[in-house]
Amino acid sequence: MNSHEMSRTLLILAIGICIGFMVGAGLVFSVLVFCRSGRKRVDVEKSGPLRTEAINVHGKGADSSVTSLSDSNATFESPRTSEWSNTSFWLEGLRRKNAVSVCGIPKYSYKDIEKATSNFTTIIGHGAFGPVYKAIMPTGEAVAVKVLGANSRQGEQEFLTEVLLLGRLHHKNLVGLVGYAAERGRHMLLYIYMINGSLASHLYGENHEPLSWNMRLGIALDVARVMEYLHYSADPPIVHRDIKSSNILLDKYMKAKVTDFGLSRPEMIKPRLSNVRGTFGYLDPEYISTRTFTKKSDVYSFGVLLFELITGRNPQQGLMEYVKLAAMESEDKIAWEEIVDPQLNGNYDVHKLNDMASLALKCVNGVSKTRPSMRNIVQALSQLYKKPKRNSSQAAPSALNEVSIEVEQPETRDFSIECSEELRRLHSR
Ligand SMILES: Nc1ncnc2c1ncn2[C@@H]1O[C@H](COP(=O)(O)OP(=O)(O)OP(=O)(O)O)[C@@H](O)[C@H]1O
């Protein structure tokens, strides 16, 4: 080989090495891009395994039918259909044939639930959403299944809210959402079964022993704690909008858990007018007149709930008129004993009763700004709960006097996860 041929061979070799290197680099790059996009998809679906393991029944959950949400024009308070057809990841996840979970909530098939409810024969209640069934899962675990009534657009919207919110809210006093189903145009929500039913059934039903004073105080504190969590620890803060005794469920230890987030909304930084929603008897009059729901509207409903616990009277049957009359009769020192639930048979601490009723009265103040915050309320109720029983001759410093009312400033927050962003966008219209 002469020197000319040698330099040609070396040149060809160098070009070959360059091409090889570029092809190799291209391949490595492609693999990296593929892995990234793959990981993104896994992120959407990965948050469920813990819950999935806990009830362990959704192996068959991948169903081939497509949920009706894809062609739904369900809306929140101001209809804007186009945003519902956005391919945001969670809605896409609800539709996706083989999705196993969305926002951490595992998906079940219609067949799984049909079997677990013995073909929908185990009805335990009926609400605005539709019928509620008890289901026994293959693990032996009992769950409550809420079935959305057919053709209910309002219900579809509430269904989405529940899945999106409860997927990211975690508190011991919330009724856990353990699954959902969305196929054959039917939507279902699966919750942990609360063996002692609703607080309303204990206050008004005939099949229960009357609740003791201490139980009532404990229930009030449980509910206040979860409300405080929603208002101050959830990101973005959440207003429940439907606090009432039928949305408080009791577990086997009579611990209270809040349910029904269908009407809940992230707190609006710039509140906008919306249609009045909620339950008659619990609605903040300021919300009715301004049509703007705030944390303090939840506080109002909570105040009504406190009076419900004190009196054993139904807010939908004139409870607040009854309370107002009692409060008017003797303005300097209200004799709350006159309105206390006769089922208590006098078994309560008068001082605690007075403190709890005074707190309730502050919560239902007509001017929302003067109502205590849920933080103040938790503080006051915790002090009451742990306070030893006093006899009437002892001086009674009120737990409420030690609690100052905090004036809230609007907060601006970063919404860190996609579910939150999607929720805020949908709800703030
Ligand atoms: N997780 C659960 N465990 C046990 N029972 C439940 C559970 N969820 C609901 N129920 C029962 O089903 C009934 C209906 O519940 P649902 O939340 O649908 O309606 P509601 O709160 O009573 O009324 P509305 O829908 O008008 O607010 C409840 O009163 C309760 O007895």
Side-chain angles (χ1 to χ4, degrees):
M1 197 186 289
N2 61 28
S3 66
H4 182 68
E5 277 171 343
M6 190 125 113
S7 59
R8 241 181 75 186
T9 313
L10 279 174
L11 187 66
I12 290 168
L13 204 68
I15 290 171
I17 288 171
C18 278
I19 291 173
F21 179 76
M22 281 163 73
V23 169
L27 268 173
V28 169
F29 181 72
S30 311
V31 167
L32 282 177
V33 168
F34 179 79
C35 287
R36 269 186 77 82
S37 63
R39 197 179 315 149
K40 212 172 184 179
R41 190 164 300 138
V42 171
D43 276 349
V44 173
E45 296 176 355
K46 77 176 178 192
S47 39
L50 272 181
R51 286 169 185 273
T52 310
E53 267 168 34
I55 52 176
N56 199 25
V57 291
H58 79 98
K60 290 189 280 169
D63 194 273
S64 59
S65 45
V66 176
T67 156
S68 70
L69 286 166
S70 52
D71 41 50
S72 159
N73 60 0
T75 59
F76 283 85
E77 275 147 355
S78 51
R80 251 206 270 164
T81 315
S82 63
E83 298 210 34
W84 277 93
S85 54
N86 276 350
T87 50
S88 52
F89 91 98
W90 53 266
L91 190 51
E92 195 48 41
L94 281 175
R95 289 188 201 134
R96 212 178 11 234
K97 289 177 190 174
N98 56 353
V100 290
S101 81
V102 168
C103 289
I105 308 290
K107 183 182 180 184
Y108 291 87
S109 75
Y110 183 89
K111 270 194 180 152
D112 285 334
I113 297 171
E114 196 176 40
K115 200 167 156 198
T117 57
S118 308
N119 202 16
F120 299 100
T121 55
T122 52
I123 195 155
I124 49 171
H126 209 286
F129 193 85
V132 184
Y133 300 90
K134 182 175 177 180
I136 304 294
M137 301 314 239
T139 53
E141 191 162 4
V143 301
V145 181
K146 283 192 187 183
V147 180
L148 166 63
N151 302 322
S152 166
R153 283 192 177 153
Q154 185 57 46
E156 266 189 21
Q157 183 179 306
E158 291 178 17
F159 168 86
L160 280 175
T161 305
E162 291 256 359
V163 176
L164 296 176
L165 279 183
L166 289 176
R168 64 187 188 83
L169 298 177
H170 302 284
H171 191 279
K172 66 180 170 119
N173 298 113
L174 280 178
V175 179
L177 182 67
V178 291
Y180 76 93
E183 68 179 78
R184 301 189 197 175
R186 300 193 69 174
H187 300 89
M188 297 176 219
L189 294 165
L190 279 68
Y191 299 87
I192 291 171
Y193 181 73
M194 293 290 126
I195 198 161
N196 276 312
S198 71
L199 171 61
S201 69
H202 284 264
L203 290 174
Y204 314 119
E206 283 162 12
N207 305 328
H208 297 287
E209 287 287 298
L211 295 168
S212 71
W213 174 255
N214 229 32
M215 273 180 181
R216 294 176 199 226
L217 203 46
I219 289 169
L221 184 55
D222 286 341
V223 178
R225 282 193 175 129
V226 78
M227 299 301 297
E228 182 193 28
Y229 164 78
L230 294 174
H231 288 186
Y232 298 101
S233 300
D235 185 14
I238 301 294
V239 283
H240 184 281
R241 308 211 326 173
D242 205 13
I243 288 298
K244 58 177 176 178
S245 56
S246 66
N247 283 343
I248 313 299
L249 300 177
L250 301 166
D251 72 6
K252 63 177 169 184
Y253 305 110
M254 296 300 279
K255 288 273 161 210
K257 308 211 180 209
V258 173
T259 187
D260 230 336
F261 281 76
L263 294 187
S264 303
R265 299 288 181 268
E267 188 195 24
M268 290 175 193
I269 289 155
K270 279 191 205 141
R272 303 210 191 144
L273 297 187
S274 58
N275 295 334
V276 173
R277 302 279 311 280
T279 302
F280 170 74
Y282 294 85
L283 282 175
D284 169 14
E286 202 175 279
Y287 164 53
I288 297 174
S289 59
T290 61
R291 292 199 294 136
T292 304
F293 202 99
T294 64
K295 287 177 188 165
K296 293 295 179 83
S297 319
D298 268 351
V299 170
Y300 182 93
S301 309
F302 182 78
V304 175
L305 184 84
L306 287 183
F307 276 124
E308 215 177 333
L309 284 163
I310 292 168
T311 62
R313 280 186 176 245
N314 191 334
Q316 296 179 316
Q317 292 165 10
L319 164 66
M320 290 316 288
E321 285 68 27
Y322 183 66
V323 166
K324 274 177 204 154
L325 272 178
M328 250 167 37
E329 265 175 21
S330 46
E331 270 182 3
D332 45 336
K333 193 169 186 316
I334 303 168
W336 292 115
E337 286 154 87
E338 282 171 27
I339 63 163
V340 80
D341 189 349
Q343 292 207 76
L344 283 164
N345 280 326
N347 292 322
Y348 55 88
D349 177 336
V350 178
H351 302 295
K352 290 191 182 193
L353 163 70
N354 285 335
D355 282 354
M356 185 157 152
S358 307
L359 176 64
L361 201 61
K362 288 183 181 182
C363 294
V364 298
N365 192 303
V367 182
S368 66
K369 273 190 184 152
T370 65
R371 294 173 201 156
S373 70
M374 284 317 300
R375 269 191 189 142
N376 300 147
I377 295 168
V378 168
Q379 247 179 297
L381 287 175
S382 315
Q383 287 178 33
L384 264 188
Y385 192 61
K386 63 182 181 214
K387 219 184 226 181
K389 204 171 170 180
R390 272 180 277 117
N391 53 46
S392 46
S393 59
Q394 283 177 293
S398 167
L400 293 172
N401 294 339
E402 296 153 31
V403 173
S404 60
I405 290 179
E406 159 196 308
V407 178
E408 286 166 33
Q409 299 297 326
E411 287 172 272
T412 313
R413 286 164 183 265
D414 283 340
F415 290 7
S416 51
I417 52 173
E418 272 180 85
C419 282
S420 313
E421 282 173 10
E422 206 60 55
L423 268 170
R424 189 168 74 130
R425 201 157 50 77
L426 289 165
H427 287 298
S428 64
R429 279 177 283 119

Coordinates of all heavy atoms in Angstrom, one line a residue, residues 12 14 24 56 65 69 74 93 100 178 195 207 247 257 263 280 346 359 368 397 412 427:
I12 N -11.2 7.1 5.3 CA -12.4 6.3 5.3 C -12.7 5.8 6.7 O -13.8 5.9 7.2 CB -12.4 5.2 4.3 CG1 -12.4 5.7 2.8 CG2 -13.5 4.2 4.4 CD1 -12.0 4.8 1.7
A14 N -11.7 7.1 9.5 CA -12.1 8.3 10.4 C -13.6 8.6 10.1 O -14.3 8.9 11.1 CB -11.2 9.5 10.1
G24 N -24.6 6.2 17.2 CA -24.6 5.7 18.6 C -25.2 6.8 19.5 O -26.1 6.5 20.3
N56 N -57.2 -4.2 47.3 CA -56.8 -5.4 46.5 C -57.8 -6.0 45.7 O -57.9 -7.3 45.6 CB -56.2 -6.4 47.5 CG -55.3 -7.4 46.9 OD1 -54.8 -7.1 45.8 ND2 -55.2 -8.6 47.4
S65 N -64.7 -0.6 28.2 CA -65.7 0.5 27.8 C -65.2 1.8 28.2 O -64.4 2.0 29.0 CB -67.0 0.2 28.5 OG -66.8 -0.1 29.8
L69 N -67.9 10.4 30.3 CA -67.3 11.7 30.6 C -66.7 12.3 29.3 O -66.7 13.5 29.2 CB -66.2 11.6 31.6 CG -66.7 11.4 33.0 CD1 -65.6 10.9 33.9 CD2 -67.4 12.6 33.5
A74 N -70.9 18.2 31.1 CA -71.1 18.6 32.5 C -70.2 19.8 32.8 O -69.1 19.9 32.3 CB -70.7 17.4 33.4
G93 N -57.1 10.2 32.1 CA -56.9 9.0 32.9 C -58.3 8.4 33.2 O -58.4 7.1 33.2
V100 N -55.4 2.4 35.8 CA -55.7 1.6 37.0 C -56.0 2.6 38.2 O -56.5 2.2 39.2 CB -54.5 0.7 37.4 CG1 -54.4 -0.5 36.5 CG2 -53.2 1.4 37.5
V178 N -61.9 5.0 48.3 CA -61.0 3.9 48.1 C -61.1 3.4 46.6 O -60.4 2.5 46.2 CB -61.2 2.7 49.0 CG1 -60.7 3.1 50.4 CG2 -62.6 2.2 49.1
I195 N -69.4 2.0 59.8 CA -70.4 1.1 60.4 C -71.5 1.8 61.3 O -72.6 1.2 61.3 CB -69.6 0.0 61.3 CG1 -70.4 -1.2 61.5 CG2 -69.1 0.6 62.6 CD1 -69.6 -2.4 61.9
N207 N -83.5 4.1 65.8 CA -82.8 2.9 66.2 C -81.5 3.0 66.9 O -80.7 2.1 66.9 CB -82.5 2.1 64.9 CG -83.8 1.9 64.1 OD1 -84.9 1.8 64.7 ND2 -83.7 1.9 62.8
N247 N -73.8 14.4 56.4 CA -72.4 14.3 55.8 C -71.4 14.0 56.8 O -70.2 14.0 56.5 CB -72.1 15.5 55.0 CG -72.8 15.5 53.7 OD1 -73.3 14.5 53.2 ND2 -72.9 16.7 53.0
K257 N -66.3 11.3 60.8 CA -65.5 11.6 59.5 C -66.4 12.3 58.6 O -67.6 12.0 58.5 CB -65.1 10.2 58.9 CG -64.4 9.4 60.0 CD -63.4 8.5 59.4 CE -62.7 7.7 60.5 NZ -61.4 7.3 60.3
L263 N -69.7 19.2 46.4 CA -69.9 20.6 46.2 C -68.6 21.4 46.5 O -68.6 22.6 46.4 CB -71.0 21.2 47.0 CG -72.4 20.7 46.7 CD1 -73.4 21.4 47.6 CD2 -72.8 20.9 45.3
F280 N -80.4 23.6 52.6 CA -81.3 24.5 53.3 C -81.2 24.3 54.8 O -81.1 23.1 55.2 CB -82.7 24.3 52.8 CG -83.8 25.0 53.6 CD1 -83.9 26.3 53.6 CD2 -84.6 24.2 54.5 CE1 -84.9 27.0 54.3 CE2 -85.5 24.9 55.3 CZ -85.7 26.2 55.2
G346 N -80.3 15.7 81.3 CA -79.6 16.5 82.2 C -78.1 16.0 82.4 O -77.4 16.6 83.2
L359 N -69.9 29.5 71.5 CA -69.0 29.4 70.3 C -69.9 29.2 69.1 O -69.7 29.9 68.0 CB -68.1 28.1 70.5 CG -67.3 27.7 69.3 CD1 -66.2 28.8 69.0 CD2 -66.5 26.4 69.5
S368 N -69.9 37.8 58.4 CA -69.0 36.7 58.3 C -67.6 37.0 58.9 O -67.0 36.1 59.5 CB -68.9 36.2 56.9 OG -68.3 37.2 56.1
P397 N -63.9 30.2 83.9 CA -63.3 31.0 82.9 C -63.6 30.4 81.5 O -63.4 29.2 81.3 CB -61.8 31.0 83.2 CG -61.6 29.8 84.0 CD -62.9 29.5 84.7
T412 N -52.1 34.0 48.5 CA -51.8 33.6 47.1 C -50.9 32.4 47.2 O -49.9 32.4 48.0 CB -51.0 34.7 46.3 OG1 -51.7 35.9 46.6 CG2 -51.0 34.5 44.9
H427 N -63.0 25.3 38.7 CA -63.9 25.8 39.7 C -63.9 27.3 39.7 O -64.9 27.9 40.3 CB -63.5 25.3 41.0 CG -63.8 23.8 41.2 ND1 -65.1 23.4 41.1 CD2 -63.0 22.8 41.4 CE1 -65.1 22.1 41.3 NE2 -63.9 21.7 41.4

